[in-house]
Amino acid sequence: MRILKLTEETKKNLLESLLKRSPNSYKQYEDSVNAIVEEVKKNGDSAVFAYTKQFDGAEITKENIRVTKEEMEEAYGLVDDKLIDVMKKSLQNIRAYHEKQKQYSWFDSRPDGVLLGQKVTPLSCVGVYVPGGKAAYPSSVLMNILPAKVAGVEKIVMTTPCDREGKVNPATLVAADLAGADEIYKAGGAQAVAALAFGTESIPKVDKIVGPGNIYVALAKKAVFGHVSIDSIAGPSEILVLADESANPRYAAADLLSQAEHDELASAILITTSETFATQVSEEVDKFTATLSRKDIIEKSLENYGYILVAQDMDEAIEAANEIASEHLEILTANPFDTMTKIKNAGAIFLGEYASEPLGDYFAGPNHVLPTNGTAKFFSPLGVDSFVKKSSIISYTKEALWPVYEDIIQFAESERLTAHANSIKVRFEDNNR
């Protein structure tokens, strides 16, 4: 990996390089994605079937688009029982973590007749997009569905691509069943996102769409935002390891590669205060890469977006980490909990040498659907809050309104909104309390 001294210039160049990975930088695909979205909006099922044939080579019809009970039973028979047991353990951890995120309606009444509050209501119907293609990610199925279930969403609709024979990855199906998906449809790409956003004869319209996907899926979610809610427009995966000389270079190298193997656009960055440690990690990266199955992808990822930055001290390193605002941040310092208190921007923070990033991906419980491309400065991980909406509650008696009604009238008239003012005035036309 390239080793650079951390300066304002290298930091600026790094941030500019990382931003090029954002879906917002791929405007050349927007016209084709928008055309697919409009076609599905206009023609429903027939457009979904045609695009599925064109892109996935599968003959999908109204009769076979929905995954059946028999197909689900077949999937269970094809997945290793040990993997199913692991999924169940992971599911329990994810559910337990998200149960602690639940919020409840509240009401605050005062003796003067004022009642204020907040009503928390789960979304009625949510769409979960699950990628197919080169790899299947049942862990993402659990992470997207379980917080919706904990939130109390009434109906969870999942879409995922099928192969040429109309089959869906069995591990994906098992994970969806374990997590509690209500309906599963064989549709992928921008056409599936459009189907969830607008509804077709077969696929119901949802209120929100969540789940990862390729650039076409990301841009389709961007295109339908406003017609429905979305979780985010996710970019490629990324990891930042923050380390001092006390860290284990083999651990740091292995963790960097755990993200670099995702795809050629994945980012893996180490910021350290030790030049010796930087060199050791680079050497370990080379050793590991030579033996890993996704060597070609890793090498391309590191060539494009792999960096080791040497900071003059930990304060400088932390400042850079906050500016990068990485999706995953590992802290491998002598006192990781103290370092963590100075971190403002990160999707998920992993503390200590035994909390490696894959622990969060698969098992610990916190959600692995995280903000990318610096959006951790203002976005949060997917969670229960992502699947509820909140309504304000206001109730005043006449006695409570009396002392303040003239203030409200004055405020409204200052904005020249006389109908607003009149709405208050009419309640006191008799000038009695």
Side-chain angles (χ1 to χ4, degrees):
M1 291 180 70
R2 78 198 88 182
I3 300 175
L4 303 172
K5 182 178 174 59
L6 178 59
T7 64
E8 285 301 318
E9 185 67 20
T10 57
K11 187 166 60 178
K12 177 175 178 288
N13 292 340
L14 170 61
L15 290 170
E16 288 177 355
S17 176
L18 294 179
L19 284 174
K20 292 176 184 176
R21 301 153 59 248
S22 167
N24 292 319
S25 300
Y26 290 82
K27 295 187 182 298
Q28 68 268 35
Y29 299 110
E30 285 189 346
D31 288 345
S32 57
V33 168
N34 291 339
I36 291 171
V37 168
E38 286 302 314
E39 186 69 17
V40 172
K41 181 180 179 182
K42 179 180 177 182
N43 294 312
D45 270 359
S46 63
V48 173
F49 301 156
Y51 286 125
T52 302
K53 175 66 176 175
Q54 178 181 344
F55 299 130
D56 300 321
E59 295 282 356
I60 296 300
T61 66
K62 290 181 181 180
E63 287 69 36
N64 67 2
I65 189 172
R66 183 171 174 178
V67 172
T68 64
K69 181 180 178 182
E70 291 73 24
E71 287 175 305
M72 187 63 72
E73 290 173 352
E74 179 186 20
Y76 271 95
L78 295 171
V79 178
D80 189 300
D81 288 342
K82 290 182 180 178
L83 177 56
I84 294 176
D85 287 341
V86 171
M87 285 188 199
K88 289 178 179 178
K89 292 176 184 177
S90 175
L91 182 151
Q92 290 171 356
N93 292 341
I94 297 166
R95 180 186 287 126
Y97 180 86
H98 288 86
E99 286 281 357
K100 295 183 184 298
Q101 295 182 336
K102 289 182 72 172
Q103 294 190 43
Y104 300 91
S105 300
W106 58 267
F107 302 92
D108 181 27
S109 60
R110 301 198 312 234
D112 61 1
V114 173
L115 185 146
L116 302 174
Q118 181 173 268
K119 186 175 185 292
V120 179
T121 308
L123 302 181
S124 296
C125 186
V126 166
V128 175
Y129 182 88
V130 176
K134 297 177 182 177
Y137 299 106
S139 59
S140 284
V141 177
L142 300 180
M143 292 288 183
N144 280 277
I145 293 177
L146 282 167
K149 294 295 287 188
V150 170
V153 173
E154 294 174 25
K155 182 193 279 191
I156 299 174
V157 179
M158 190 178 104
T159 63
T160 188
C162 61
D163 62 19
R164 290 178 176 274
E165 285 69 47
K167 298 287 187 181
V168 174
N169 181 279
T172 295
L173 289 184
V174 170
D177 187 60
L178 292 173
D182 296 295
E183 300 173 9
I184 305 172
Y185 295 91
K186 302 170 187 176
Q191 62 271 23
V193 173
L196 290 169
F198 301 109
T200 70
E201 297 89 330
S202 297
I203 300 175
K205 183 187 186 310
V206 303
D207 300 314
K208 184 167 188 171
I209 301 172
V210 301
N214 61 20
I215 188 63
Y216 295 97
V217 170
L219 291 176
K221 287 168 73 175
K222 180 180 177 182
V224 302
F225 177 64
H227 298 281
V228 292
S229 178
I230 61 172
D231 51 352
S232 65
I233 304 170
S237 188
E238 55 199 31
I239 186 171
L240 191 154
V241 176
L242 192 60
D244 59 20
E245 67 281 352
S246 70
N248 185 315
R250 279 179 64 78
Y251 294 174
D255 296 351
L256 290 167
L257 298 180
S258 73
Q259 293 308 291
E261 76 168 343
H262 268 294
D263 62 56
E264 292 86 349
L265 295 176
S267 166
I269 300 170
L270 167 67
I271 304 180
T272 181
T273 53
S274 168
E275 289 187 21
T276 300
F277 182 77
T279 302
Q280 290 171 335
V281 171
S282 181
E283 291 171 354
E284 294 292 345
V285 163
D286 291 341
K287 293 176 189 175
F288 280 130
T289 301
T291 66
L292 293 169
S293 63
R294 295 169 72 87
K295 175 184 175 182
D296 291 345
I297 292 174
I298 289 171
E299 288 179 339
K300 196 68 176 175
S301 169
L302 295 180
E303 179 186 336
N304 292 331
Y305 303 106
Y307 296 87
I308 296 177
L309 303 176
V310 180
Q312 122 182 349
D313 54 37
M314 188 50 66
D315 286 340
E316 185 182 58
I318 291 169
E319 181 184 353
N322 280 325
E323 288 195 49
I324 294 169
S326 186
E327 177 188 18
H328 307 100
L329 172 64
E330 286 190 8
I331 301 179
L332 303 177
T333 59
N335 191 340
F337 289 89
D338 179 64
T339 306
M340 178 268 294
T341 63
K342 301 170 186 174
I343 296 297
K344 298 177 181 178
N345 307 318
I349 303 172
F350 300 79
L351 303 177
E353 61 182 13
Y354 291 100
S356 65
E357 189 278 337
L359 175 65
D361 269 356
Y362 294 110
F363 207 76
N367 211 288
H368 77 200
V369 181
L370 303 166
T372 59
N373 275 107
T375 60
K377 291 179 178 177
F378 44 83
F379 280 145
S380 303
L382 192 74
V384 171
D385 268 1
S386 307
F387 299 100
V388 300
K389 52 195 176 73
K390 300 166 186 176
S391 303
S392 303
I393 304 295
I394 303 168
S395 177
Y396 269 54
T397 62
K398 186 174 184 180
E399 289 71 23
L401 187 58
W402 173 268
V404 298
Y405 86 92
E406 290 180 336
D407 295 336
I408 302 167
I409 291 169
Q410 182 177 1
F411 215 152
E413 288 179 343
S414 75
E415 296 184 350
R416 299 181 182 178
L417 296 175
T418 53
H420 279 61
N422 187 59
S423 173
I424 299 294
K425 283 180 182 177
V426 296
R427 285 162 168 77
F428 295 94
E429 287 177 323
D430 58 6
N431 208 31
N432 291 324
R433 293 186 72 159

